[in-house]
């Protein structure tokens, strides 16, 4: 049963780290009007990650107490943030590249509708009883729905992230901003990849390992916006000296 | 190659290059417009001085355009004067026009990057 507690602690850490990240980013709201839509979609993504792992945390606590009805209900509820996570992500990338609110809204709404259909499908299909393991209770829905999930809700955002990374790397962007956006995208893809592995996995150790990687993803997101001093010093331009109108000294003149 | 001339856009691009300290060539709106009008007509067609002035009147008087045609374009061999008030762009002039178009592309890329940076949270 110690495994359940460890698993629940990891889920709680992910949940708290994502929510803490959203709270820590409150200061960024003063940024320009152009970046507000991306900021809100970015926060919404992390809110959904927090919500997903909140359900997982409570679910494992329910399993620990032997309450399998709540476990099943929370598993089904956790599918909602899981399948909606791609919608703010699509908005984030499309708006960042195109700069059009309407195009990004249309794309993310389409993904959102697909996500809701996916959640409804999981709700309406009777689930097999879970397998109780040392680490967690495992539901097997992989064969039924995950090809559907992967085809739209996973492949599309991952392709968009790769595309955005290529765009960012090719452009002459200040190092500080390049670092921030690249590490954020790496963090997002880590979370997206390993939350999928988390849901598909039928091996409990793999599920726990994937949750650790999700936690690492959230830490990366933190580091992207709040880098340690050593990295910050490397990213900042050298201090500015006011030499503009001083007379140049010709060192070669003798 | 079809060339569309947007006078306001060319002025915007020129002022961008001026802000980089490039006041001649890409940073000179008259130079840009004259070259683009000549390139639009190509090496086969004669470009009338009045046609050039239709685009440049907003920025310069007749005298300064005429003087630029002589001191820059004819002197450097970018155009040849084929008749009174009629010019034809040379191969060298077409290269210069291509360069001017490339500077517009560069400007668009820079602006796109700037707006992308503004949208990064």
């Amino acid at each position: 049963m110690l495994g359940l507690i460890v698993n629940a602690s990891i889920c709680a850490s992910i949940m708290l780290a994502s929510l803490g990240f959203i709270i820590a980013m409150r200061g960024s709201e003063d940024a320009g009007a152009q970046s507000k839509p991306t900021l809100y979609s970015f926060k919404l993504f992390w809110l959904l990650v927090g919500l997903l792992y909140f359900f997982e945390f409570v679910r494992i606590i329910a399993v620990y107490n032997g309450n399998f009805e709540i476990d099943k209900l929370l598993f089904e509820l956790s599918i909602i943030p899981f399948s909606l996570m791609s919608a703010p992500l699509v908005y984030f990338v499309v708006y960042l590249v195109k700069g059009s609110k309407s195009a990004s809204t249309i794309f993310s709404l389409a993904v959102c509708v697909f996500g809701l259909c996916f959640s409804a499908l999981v709700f309406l299909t009777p689930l097999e009883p879970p397998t109780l393991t040392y680490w967690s209770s495992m539901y097997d829905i992989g064969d039924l729905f995950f090809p559907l999930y992967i085809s739209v809700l996973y492949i599309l955002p991952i392709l968009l992230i790769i595309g955005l990374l290529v765009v960012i790397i090719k452009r002459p962007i200040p190092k500080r901003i390049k670092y921030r956006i690249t590490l954020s995208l790496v963090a997002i893809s880590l979370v997206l990849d390993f939350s999928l592995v988390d849901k598909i996995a039928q091996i409990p150790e793999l599920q726990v390992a994937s949750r650790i990687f999700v936690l690492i993803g959230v830490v990366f997101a933190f580091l992207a916006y709040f880098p340690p001093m050593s990295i910050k010093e490397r990213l900042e331009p050298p201090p500015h000296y006011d030499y503009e109108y001083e007379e140049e000294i010709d060192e070669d003149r003798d | 190659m079809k060339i569309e001339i947007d006078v306001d856009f060319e002025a915007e691009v020129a002022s961008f290059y001026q802000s980089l300290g490039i006041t001649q060539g890409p940073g000179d709106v008259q130079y840009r417009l004259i070259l683009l009008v000549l390139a639009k007509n190509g090496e086969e067609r004669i470009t009338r001085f009045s046609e050039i002035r239709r685009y440049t009147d907003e920025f310069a008087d007749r005298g300064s355009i005429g003087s630029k045609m002589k001191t820059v374009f004819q002197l450097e061999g970018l155009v040849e004067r084929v008749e009174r008030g009629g010019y034809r762009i040379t191969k060298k002039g077409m290269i210069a026009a291509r360069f001017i178009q490339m500077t517009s592309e560069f400007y668009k890329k820079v602006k796109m990057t700037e707006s992308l940076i503004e949208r990064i949270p």
Side-chain angles (χ1 to χ4, degrees):
Chain A
M1 285 296 144
L2 183 68
L4 285 176
I5 295 169
V6 170
N7 201 349
S9 327
I10 296 170
C11 291
S13 309
I14 296 169
M15 176 190 77
L16 292 173
S18 345
L19 297 179
F21 179 53
I22 295 167
I23 294 165
M25 280 194 73
R26 268 195 318 180
S28 323
E29 276 159 12
D30 307 333
Q34 287 286 311
S35 68
K36 272 190 178 159
T38 37
L39 182 68
Y40 291 140
S41 56
F42 191 62
K43 282 181 172 179
L44 185 60
F45 172 80
W46 291 107
L47 184 70
L48 289 169
V49 172
L51 196 63
L52 168 64
Y53 283 93
F54 166 73
F55 287 136
E56 289 291 339
F57 166 68
V58 182
R59 185 169 86 83
I60 295 166
I61 297 295
V63 173
Y64 186 78
N65 291 320
N67 201 335
F68 292 100
E69 278 302 305
I70 292 182
D71 170 41
K72 185 170 171 272
L73 178 72
L74 286 168
F75 176 80
E76 286 173 336
L77 280 176
S78 73
I79 293 290
I80 300 173
F82 174 66
S83 53
L84 290 181
M85 256 164 35
S86 307
L89 197 53
V90 167
Y91 187 96
F92 176 81
V93 180
V94 174
Y95 182 76
L96 210 57
V97 175
K98 292 278 290 174
S100 153
K101 278 184 190 171
S102 50
S104 30
T105 308
I106 291 167
F107 272 105
S108 62
L109 269 180
V111 173
C112 188
V113 168
F114 194 89
L116 287 174
C117 292
F118 176 78
S119 306
L121 213 60
V122 174
F123 265 109
L124 295 172
T125 310
L127 288 175
E128 295 280 317
T131 319
L132 188 64
T133 68
Y134 177 73
W135 295 98
S136 173
S137 73
M138 317 280 297
Y139 286 91
D140 185 12
I141 59 164
D143 295 344
L144 275 172
F145 303 116
F146 280 100
L148 194 67
Y149 177 89
I150 288 172
S151 60
V152 176
L153 299 174
Y154 176 71
I155 296 279
L156 181 69
I158 287 294
L159 284 179
L160 286 173
I161 287 173
I162 293 169
L164 182 58
L165 274 173
V166 170
V167 169
I168 296 284
I169 288 164
K170 274 173 72 181
R171 299 239 167 132
I173 291 176
K175 256 203 286 186
R176 183 173 52 85
I177 296 170
K178 208 176 245 188
Y179 162 84
R180 184 197 293 174
I181 191 73
T182 310
L183 199 59
S184 308
L185 291 175
V186 169
I188 289 172
S189 59
L190 259 179
V191 170
L192 207 64
D193 294 346
F194 285 99
S195 59
L196 175 67
V197 175
D198 177 357
K199 285 277 177 220
I200 293 177
Q202 284 308 304
I203 305 162
E205 288 81 7
L206 186 60
Q207 191 189 57
V208 174
S210 63
R211 282 177 184 179
I212 292 170
F213 276 102
V214 172
L215 184 60
I216 292 171
V218 186
V219 173
F220 274 10
F222 247 106
L223 289 177
Y225 280 83
F226 309 101
M229 275 311 279
S230 56
I231 295 177
K232 209 172 180 179
E233 278 165 10
R234 282 188 189 185
L235 298 171
E236 294 292 335
H240 174 74
Y241 299 107
D242 198 16
Y243 284 148
E244 272 174 59
Y245 299 108
E246 271 185 24
E247 197 184 332
E248 287 294 332
I249 300 162
D250 188 357
E251 288 170 355
D252 296 334
R253 193 179 63 190
D254 279 316
Chain B
M1 182 176 55
K2 201 165 177 267
I3 297 174
E4 297 282 330
I5 303 171
D6 180 345
V7 176
D8 294 333
F9 174 71
E10 294 306 326
E12 199 182 310
V13 180
S15 69
F16 165 73
Y17 282 101
Q18 277 170 24
S19 74
L20 300 180
I22 306 165
T23 49
Q24 308 274 311
D28 178 359
V29 67
Q30 295 174 27
Y31 177 86
R32 297 184 71 89
L33 288 170
I34 295 169
L35 254 184
L36 290 175
V37 177
L38 287 161
K40 189 182 172 191
N41 289 332
E43 288 172 279
E44 294 81 29
R45 279 182 58 197
I46 293 171
T47 305
R48 309 294 314 167
F49 187 63
S50 57
E51 196 182 341
I52 294 172
R53 284 200 53 212
R54 257 210 321 265
Y55 292 95
T56 56
D57 270 359
E58 213 179 297
F59 307 99
D61 57 26
R62 180 197 171 96
S64 67
I65 297 299
S67 145
K68 187 149 274 175
M69 288 303 288
K70 249 187 214 160
T71 57
V72 178
F73 287 87
Q74 282 186 69
L75 192 70
E76 297 300 337
L78 304 179
V79 291
E80 52 184 4
R81 190 163 180 257
V82 285
E83 58 186 45
R84 190 180 150 80
Y87 300 89
R88 188 183 283 142
I89 193 166
T90 59
K91 277 211 162 31
K92 201 175 168 188
M94 287 304 281
I95 293 169
R98 180 76 200 110
F99 168 69
I100 286 299
Q101 284 176 307
M102 279 163 70
T103 61
S104 299
E105 297 300 316
F106 178 75
Y107 169 74
K108 282 182 196 166
K109 268 190 189 170
V110 169
K111 282 285 147 194
M112 265 175 74
T113 307
E114 276 179 0
S115 57
L116 191 137
I117 290 172
E118 275 176 20
R119 290 194 292 270
I120 290 174

